[in-house]
Amino acid sequence: MAFSLQSLVYEDGVLVSGSLQALVQHAVPTAVYYPDTAYLFAFLLSSRLFIKPHELLQRVCDVGFTQQGLKGNDLSTINKEKLGRFVPHMVQLLGEWSETFPYDFRDERMMVGVRTMTHRCIALEPSLRRDVTQVLHNLLNKLTQLERYEEGLAKLSAPPPADFIPQPTDITEVCQSPLVMAQQLTHIELEKLSYIGPEEFVQAFAKDNLDACYKDLKKTSNLECYIQWFNRLSYLVATHACTHVKKKQRVRVIEWWIEVARECFNIGNFNSLMGIIAGLNMSIVSRLKKTWSKVQSAKFSVLEHQMDPSSNFSSYRSTLKAAMWRSAGAVDDRQKIVIPFFSLLVKDLYFLNEGCASRLPNGHINFDKFWQLAKQVTEFMAWKQVTCPFEKVADVIHYLQTTHVLTETGLALASFECEGPENSYEKERYKTLKADTQQQSA
């Protein structure tokens, strides 16, 4: 049964829709009220589809201070008892917002609002100065960490020199153990995950749902960097599979990567698992029939079944659910790891996000969709906060992130060098690729 309360609509006690004004009002603390944490997360996550974060902060402050009769800067007539816990509540709200969505505060307009708000709070209750300082200190730490991380990414993404010709690398010399390699991949995955802000899932789709004036919301690209990492891993696996002239070496390398994929599956690192499968399934690798005929591929078939895209990845979704149950009850950090197949997670969130951005016929915002999106993003937040329990091998991590990999053209040429073209299409393609390469080097 649905009922309305000041432009908020509830069904069975759950908020399902409301006007933007009523939803903002519901997020504003008072002397005796503080918004529910789950509501606050869902609202701050998706409200940016309708109002910019710095405008929302301004509106929350305007509504909050006006409700308490604090329009001007004259503090002499203020009844401190009547204020109750209003000011501590406002500082708490700022603390929770900056803790959960710190990247909102990279916007100078946001920081102008923060300075105005905190000055007013301290003027009203000087004893809160220490709390305010702590909130701002924590925020600065988070933003400084992000800046350093982004600087590191910029160094890692340097393109290979124009005359780059990869030398066959025996991956087992870089790292002998498939288990250790899977653990190092997990280190990279968890670090990259940890820097993705929840709001990035909403803002990544802004180009489809928001007007041009909202484009300035986007202040980070950690989500895109993570997807690029997946592509890099796939191309790295394919590069290793195609740069050995001897068939025996190719077989050994492919089987070694299959073992790494199996260890990733056991750890709960489904993103690296899928990256490896994608690399081995590239047409330029899968066409190496003489090589694959010697590969012990039973384990690979099992892994492929787990990540089979049919029925909307039903096998993977069942496995992910089991990994989540294991993680929820885990005491050992090794059992807590859940690294989802990220491209599928983004796809799922994209469709939820579309529902969030659409208003209902009466003009209300569909908060039921906000709840659904927040539920999935909350799961992601838990996954990304897991500390990697494995010993770090810096050389292996450095290799995985910096060694140059072949382009699609380079891979195709290397593949044909390993096993010559078999049909007229492949012969024509090989001929074209060689001609293009000769022309570029001339």
Side-chain angles (χ1 to χ4, degrees):
M1 184 177 171
F3 71 93
S4 176
L5 180 67
Q6 297 176 336
S7 298
L8 294 178
V9 178
Y10 290 81
E11 281 184 11
D12 299 322
V14 178
L15 176 62
V16 292
S17 73
S19 66
L20 179 60
Q21 183 179 345
L23 291 169
V24 171
Q25 177 74 58
H26 198 50
V28 176
T30 69
V32 293
Y33 163 80
Y34 188 80
D36 174 70
T37 302
Y39 170 77
L40 204 52
F41 177 77
F43 181 63
L44 291 177
L45 176 66
S46 296
S47 61
R48 65 196 63 237
L49 290 165
F50 302 95
I51 181 170
K52 296 180 188 180
H54 75 276
E55 292 171 347
L56 176 60
L57 179 64
Q58 181 65 52
R59 199 177 295 188
V60 166
C61 289
D62 288 347
V63 171
F65 285 105
T66 301
Q67 279 179 170
Q68 301 303 317
L70 302 168
K71 284 187 178 180
N73 293 318
D74 181 14
L75 307 181
S76 59
T77 58
I78 290 167
N79 182 338
K80 290 288 177 77
E81 284 185 24
K82 191 183 169 191
L83 276 179
R85 293 207 38 85
F86 168 69
V87 181
H89 281 163
M90 288 297 280
V91 174
Q92 183 183 346
L93 176 66
L94 178 62
E96 287 188 24
W97 190 337
S98 60
E99 177 68 28
T100 315
F101 301 94
Y103 304 160
D104 284 349
F105 297 82
R106 297 184 100 183
D107 186 342
E108 181 51 35
R109 296 168 299 182
M110 193 74 169
M111 291 310 296
V112 168
V114 169
R115 284 190 285 272
T116 304
M117 173 186 173
T118 52
H119 286 157
R120 292 188 78 179
C121 287
I122 291 168
L124 287 163
E125 287 202 31
S127 61
L128 289 173
R129 183 180 294 277
R130 182 179 291 179
D131 292 349
V132 168
T133 302
Q134 190 61 53
V135 166
L136 297 178
H137 175 73
N138 293 346
L139 174 60
L140 180 63
N141 275 351
K142 278 182 177 274
L143 296 181
T144 303
Q145 281 175 10
L146 175 66
E147 231 165 80
R148 285 178 187 152
Y149 173 68
E150 287 175 336
E151 285 168 7
L153 284 180
K155 289 173 187 171
L156 287 175
S157 58
D163 58 350
F164 167 65
I165 300 172
Q167 298 305 310
T169 303
D170 187 342
I171 188 62
T172 60
E173 288 179 10
V174 177
C175 179
Q176 287 188 335
S177 162
L179 172 60
V180 172
M181 177 58 84
Q183 292 173 344
Q184 302 318 299
L185 286 168
T186 303
H187 267 292
I188 294 171
E189 298 276 356
L190 285 173
E191 183 192 41
K192 290 186 181 298
L193 275 184
S194 72
Y195 283 98
I196 297 173
E199 71 280 9
E200 290 191 67
F201 290 109
V202 175
Q203 289 167 197
F205 312 128
K207 62 181 182 295
D208 295 327
N209 294 322
L210 304 180
D211 296 330
C213 65
Y214 279 79
K215 295 296 172 65
D216 61 359
L217 280 176
K218 188 130 188 65
K219 297 291 177 186
T220 51
S221 55
N222 302 307
L223 190 147
E224 290 85 347
C225 286
Y226 190 43
I227 290 170
Q228 285 165 15
W229 152 251
F230 176 90
N231 295 334
R232 173 184 169 75
L233 176 58
S234 298
Y235 273 79
L236 177 65
V237 171
T239 297
H240 282 143
C242 291
T243 48
H244 291 284
V245 179
K246 291 185 178 177
K247 180 171 65 178
K248 191 175 179 182
Q249 286 177 307
R250 292 197 299 275
V251 170
R252 188 166 58 84
V253 165
I254 288 172
E255 288 183 343
W256 188 86
W257 275 113
I258 291 170
E259 276 301 311
V260 175
R262 197 172 68 88
E263 295 294 358
C264 286
F265 176 82
N266 292 337
I267 287 170
N269 180 356
F270 301 111
N271 201 53
S272 289
L273 164 63
M274 195 60 174
I276 294 167
I277 291 174
L280 293 175
N281 276 334
M282 278 187 188
S283 59
I284 37 84
V285 180
S286 62
R287 67 167 293 279
L288 301 173
K289 293 184 176 62
K290 291 172 188 171
T291 306
W292 280 99
S293 69
K294 300 294 182 185
V295 171
Q296 300 291 315
S297 56
K299 290 175 185 173
F300 188 55
S301 299
V302 171
L303 294 173
E304 278 190 305
H305 171 71
Q306 288 290 344
M307 305 307 281
D308 183 354
S310 61
S311 304
N312 193 19
F313 287 89
S314 60
S315 292
Y316 160 71
R317 291 183 190 279
S318 298
T319 304
L320 178 67
K321 203 169 279 184
M324 288 165 65
W325 287 335
R326 179 196 69 188
S327 176
V331 180
D332 180 0
D333 282 349
R334 291 169 185 244
Q335 301 292 311
K336 289 181 183 175
I337 297 168
V338 179
I339 301 173
F341 171 33
F342 197 66
S343 295
L344 186 61
L345 174 67
V346 169
K347 181 184 163 192
D348 290 346
L349 291 174
Y350 175 80
F351 289 116
L352 276 177
N353 203 72
E354 279 196 320
C356 289
S358 307
R359 287 183 187 262
L360 298 172
N362 65 357
H364 272 198
I365 289 167
N366 187 345
F367 209 84
D368 187 43
K369 293 290 184 185
F370 277 32
W371 286 127
Q372 291 176 41
L373 184 64
K375 180 179 179 292
Q376 288 223 9
V377 175
T378 300
E379 286 173 354
F380 166 79
M381 295 286 282
W383 299 335
K384 84 187 191 97
Q385 284 163 7
V386 172
T387 303
C388 191
F390 308 120
E391 187 180 340
K392 196 180 261 191
V393 184
D395 289 351
V396 175
I397 289 174
H398 181 74
Y399 174 84
L400 287 167
Q401 297 195 98
T402 62
T403 191
H404 295 309
V405 298
L406 286 169
T407 61
E408 203 160 330
T409 301
L411 281 169
L413 283 167
S415 177
F416 288 130
E417 293 294 331
C418 290
E419 293 184 22
E422 287 194 343
N423 52 47
S424 56
Y425 168 75
E426 286 192 345
K427 285 173 184 172
E428 188 58 39
R429 190 177 177 213
Y430 186 36
K431 186 178 167 185
T432 305
L433 286 168
K434 282 181 83 172
D436 288 348
T437 306
Q438 285 166 1
Q439 202 172 14
Q440 286 169 12
S441 57

